[in-house]
Amino acid sequence: MRYMATISYDGSNYMGFQIQHDMPTIELELEKAIKRMLGTDIKITASGRTDKGVHALNQIIHFDLDKKINPDNLKRGINTYLPNDIYIKNVTEVSDDFHARFSAKSKEYRYYININEYDPLTYKYMPFISNLDYELMNEGMKLFVGTHDFKGFASASIDKRKDTIKTIFKANMNIYDDKLEFIFVGTSFLKYQVRRMMGLIIEIGRKKETKEKISEVFEKKDPKISHKVAPSEGLYLYNVYY
Amino acid sequence: MRYMATISYDGSNYMGFQIQHDMPTIELELEKAIKRMLGTDIKITASGRTDKGVHALNQIIHFDLDKKINPDNLKRGINTYLPNDIYIKNVTEVSDDFHARFSAKSKEYRYYININEYDPLTYKYMPFISNLDYELMNEGMKLFVGTHDFKGFASASIDKRKDTIKTIFKANMNIYDDKLEFIFVGTSFLKYQVRRMMGLIIEIGRKKETKEKISEVFEKKDPKISHKVAPSEGLYLYNVYY
């Protein structure tokens, strides 16, 4: 039996999603909680990793069990053993050909910036950045939409054989009284891609760079071209679409 | 020179405002930061204590310095030495007869309940409680308004000589899509008073108690009458009025 689960988590206290030895990771906590509930080692597969400090509202995982278990009982049981900052929102039985990663058609990431005043109650959930030119940021965001080679926005340590041509369907910016919201929907995203895109958008908002730099990064396809990586705490894996 | 400062903090990691030996408290962190900036021991006075886990958006303190220091420099300097979860929003010079506690005319506390779904990103900021009858809660809230002897809503360890007659000017409940907001404005509040009032309102919302219990607690003036204390993480010292 294959099960799909929707997970939300506060990434603040974790080294990211993927298991790294005994470091605190979301994957390790999920596998530990499933083992404590079912008594057996179960390997989970996620739609993708999230980095250290990055949050998720609807991360998707799948896992296989030998026997049929009521999905609501699975949800309740695993949640009992999870720490307070990781939560299973939903479990459903899916067909064996469903794959959390390979079946994903697109993903949505959101990024939040507190523009009001430093806030000790939200600093782990959106960085405070002031004196930004929203109009320039908004113009920059539009340049991300479409099919591009995003190699220049990837981690410098990216595997050279990796396909870096990706499509972004939506790159919107919404301005609220107290925060900025950035919405990215695309086929898939490379490691650090959203934080590097956001890092450049923030530099454009600060007038340290112009939107022409975005075109330059697309053309040069070199992750080593210096530009900032936005803080992890503002980033949320918001949805995975199948 | 007397200075007034407006402080916000995330109470999650503290044993409350007031210094207790070497335990982590907001007061200790503030005095340590002021000492690191100015090199001397400075005693601060707050509008009142907040309990373990309780947050503040506008806690007010005052302190005296031998010499005049630009308030903006004080703000910047002290913030440099404060942990990320405590922040000085504003410093102003005040006259010597201003007293953070004795000059306060009224205080505003707010309480938040997440009514949507358990959320691992906000559980430290509002407890998740479902299946509440909002109409009953709203009717109960109205009974708090006015001048009453709140002894029955105080901590059981309250000093018997303490004046427990207080006036509440405002006790409102607002219903949002994802949360409930409770606003209490009153002359001053006893230890645990807001959490015990909220504890009873939650029991009324759960239909475990009726609003008549509120009148009973007022009449019997006995803090030992069993009723629940609402979780600290939903409570915010929202404002102090002078």
Side-chain angles (χ1 to χ4, degrees):
Chain A
M1 299 298 138
R2 181 158 287 187
Y3 295 89
M4 179 189 103
T6 307
I7 321 281
S8 57
Y9 48 82
D10 177 342
S12 308
N13 297 319
Y14 296 95
M15 297 301 292
F17 187 88
Q18 198 188 28
I19 285 186
Q20 303 175 50
H21 312 288
D22 291 333
M23 308 275 256
T25 59
I26 311 295
E27 190 177 14
L28 181 68
E29 293 298 337
L30 284 166
E31 292 189 354
K32 266 167 43 185
I34 295 172
K35 184 170 185 176
R36 286 186 66 186
M37 183 197 173
L38 301 176
T40 50
D41 285 311
I42 301 291
K43 179 71 200 154
I44 64 170
T45 302
S47 72
R49 307 166 190 177
T50 51
D51 294 329
K52 179 176 184 246
V54 174
H55 315 295
L57 296 182
N58 296 288
Q59 166 71 290
I60 303 292
I61 63 166
H62 81 253
F63 53 90
D64 295 320
L65 302 181
D66 290 340
K67 55 183 178 203
K68 225 179 163 89
I69 299 183
N70 178 294
D72 286 338
N73 292 350
L74 270 176
K75 171 186 165 175
R76 227 184 335 261
I78 304 169
N79 275 328
T80 307
Y81 297 113
L82 281 172
N84 290 334
D85 50 8
I86 305 176
Y87 180 69
I88 299 190
K89 296 165 83 167
N90 187 46
V91 178
T92 47
E93 207 183 310
V94 288
S95 69
D96 282 351
D97 60 0
F98 173 85
H99 192 285
R101 186 167 158 218
F102 300 131
S103 306
K105 293 232 175 347
S106 62
K107 273 188 183 172
E108 177 170 346
Y109 279 95
R110 295 198 179 185
Y111 197 93
Y112 292 90
I113 295 176
N114 167 12
I115 52 174
N116 205 16
E117 184 182 11
Y118 177 81
D119 183 350
L121 286 139
T122 62
Y123 77 97
K124 283 188 286 188
Y125 307 101
M126 45 179 175
F128 167 59
I129 306 173
S130 58
N131 296 318
L132 296 170
D133 185 315
Y134 307 148
E135 192 46 52
L136 293 176
M137 295 171 92
N138 196 32
E139 285 174 23
M141 285 290 283
K142 291 175 188 161
L143 301 182
F144 290 128
V145 179
T147 303
H148 304 280
D149 188 337
F150 283 92
K151 193 173 177 184
F153 287 103
S155 157
S157 63
I158 189 173
D159 183 336
K160 283 191 175 56
R161 294 158 301 181
K162 204 165 171 93
D163 179 16
T164 52
I165 295 173
K166 307 279 175 190
T167 300
I168 289 189
F169 306 117
K170 188 173 170 181
N172 288 355
M173 170 178 163
N174 297 313
I175 306 168
Y176 297 99
D177 282 349
D178 55 344
K179 63 174 178 262
L180 303 179
E181 175 183 63
F182 300 85
I183 301 177
F184 297 90
V185 181
T187 46
S188 67
F189 294 87
L190 300 163
K191 190 177 180 191
Y192 293 160
Q193 184 185 329
V194 181
R195 285 171 60 198
R196 280 185 173 250
M197 292 192 299
M198 275 308 307
L200 186 43
I201 288 292
I202 292 165
E203 288 302 284
I204 290 169
R206 284 175 167 146
K207 299 186 183 174
K208 301 273 177 70
E209 296 283 1
T210 63
K211 66 177 179 178
E212 282 67 37
K213 178 85 177 197
I214 296 176
S215 315
E216 192 191 327
V217 176
F218 278 144
E219 281 159 26
K220 297 207 174 156
K221 303 177 182 33
D222 179 6
K224 291 189 193 72
I225 290 184
S226 158
H227 56 262
K228 299 282 192 347
V229 180
S232 59
E233 62 267 27
L235 185 60
Y236 296 75
L237 172 55
Y238 196 83
N239 242 322
V240 187
Y241 301 100
Y242 292 94
Chain B
M1 299 298 139
R2 180 159 288 191
Y3 294 88
M4 177 189 103
T6 308
I7 321 282
S8 57
Y9 48 83
D10 178 342
S12 308
N13 297 319
Y14 297 95
M15 297 301 292
F17 188 88
Q18 198 188 26
I19 285 186
Q20 303 176 48
H21 310 290
D22 291 333
M23 307 275 255
T25 59
I26 311 295
E27 191 177 13
L28 181 68
E29 291 298 336
L30 284 166
E31 292 189 354
K32 267 166 45 184
I34 294 172
K35 184 168 186 178
R36 287 187 67 187
M37 185 197 171
L38 301 176
T40 49
D41 284 310
I42 302 290
K43 180 71 200 152
I44 64 170
T45 301
S47 73
R49 306 165 189 179
T50 52
D51 294 330
K52 181 175 181 243
V54 173
H55 314 295
L57 295 181
N58 295 289
Q59 167 70 290
I60 302 292
I61 63 166
H62 81 253
F63 53 90
D64 295 320
L65 302 182
D66 289 339
K67 55 182 179 206
K68 222 180 165 91
I69 299 184
N70 177 294
D72 286 339
N73 292 349
L74 270 176
K75 171 187 165 174
R76 226 183 337 261
I78 304 169
N79 275 327
T80 306
Y81 297 112
L82 280 172
N84 290 334
D85 50 7
I86 305 175
Y87 180 68
I88 299 190
K89 295 166 84 168
N90 187 45
V91 178
T92 47
E93 207 183 311
V94 288
S95 69
D96 283 350
D97 59 1
F98 173 84
H99 191 285
R101 186 166 158 218
F102 301 130
S103 306
K105 293 233 173 351
S106 63
K107 273 188 183 173
E108 177 171 347
Y109 278 94
R110 295 197 179 188
Y111 197 93
Y112 291 91
I113 296 176
N114 167 13
I115 52 172
N116 204 16
E117 184 183 9
Y118 177 81
D119 184 350
L121 287 139
T122 62
Y123 76 96
K124 284 187 285 188
Y125 307 102
M126 44 181 174
F128 167 60
I129 307 175
S130 57
N131 298 318
L132 295 170
D133 184 316
Y134 307 149
E135 193 45 53
L136 293 177
M137 296 170 91
N138 196 33
E139 284 173 26
M141 285 290 284
K142 291 176 189 160
L143 300 183
F144 291 128
V145 179
T147 302
H148 304 279
D149 188 336
F150 283 93
K151 193 172 177 187
F153 288 103
S155 158
S157 64
I158 190 172
D159 183 336
K160 284 190 174 53
R161 293 159 302 182
K162 202 165 173 93
D163 179 15
T164 51
I165 295 172
K166 307 280 175 188
T167 301
I168 289 190
F169 306 117
K170 188 173 170 180
N172 288 356
M173 170 177 165
N174 297 312
I175 305 168
Y176 297 98
D177 282 349
D178 56 344
K179 62 175 180 257
L180 302 179
E181 176 183 63
F182 300 85
I183 302 177
F184 297 90
V185 182
T187 45
S188 67
F189 295 86
L190 300 163
K191 192 177 179 190
Y192 293 160
Q193 184 185 331
V194 182
R195 286 172 60 198
R196 281 187 172 247
M197 292 192 298
M198 275 308 307
L200 185 44
I201 287 292
I202 293 165
E203 288 302 284
I204 290 169
R206 284 176 167 145
K207 300 184 183 174
K208 302 274 178 69
E209 296 283 2
T210 63
K211 65 176 180 178
E212 281 67 38
K213 177 86 177 193
I214 295 177
S215 315
E216 190 191 328
V217 176
F218 278 143
E219 281 158 27
K220 297 206 174 156
K221 301 178 183 32
D222 179 5
K224 290 187 194 72
I225 290 185
S226 160
H227 56 264
K228 299 281 188 354
V229 181
S232 60
E233 62 268 29
L235 184 60
Y236 295 74
L237 172 54
Y238 196 82
N239 243 322
V240 187
Y241 301 101
Y242 293 94

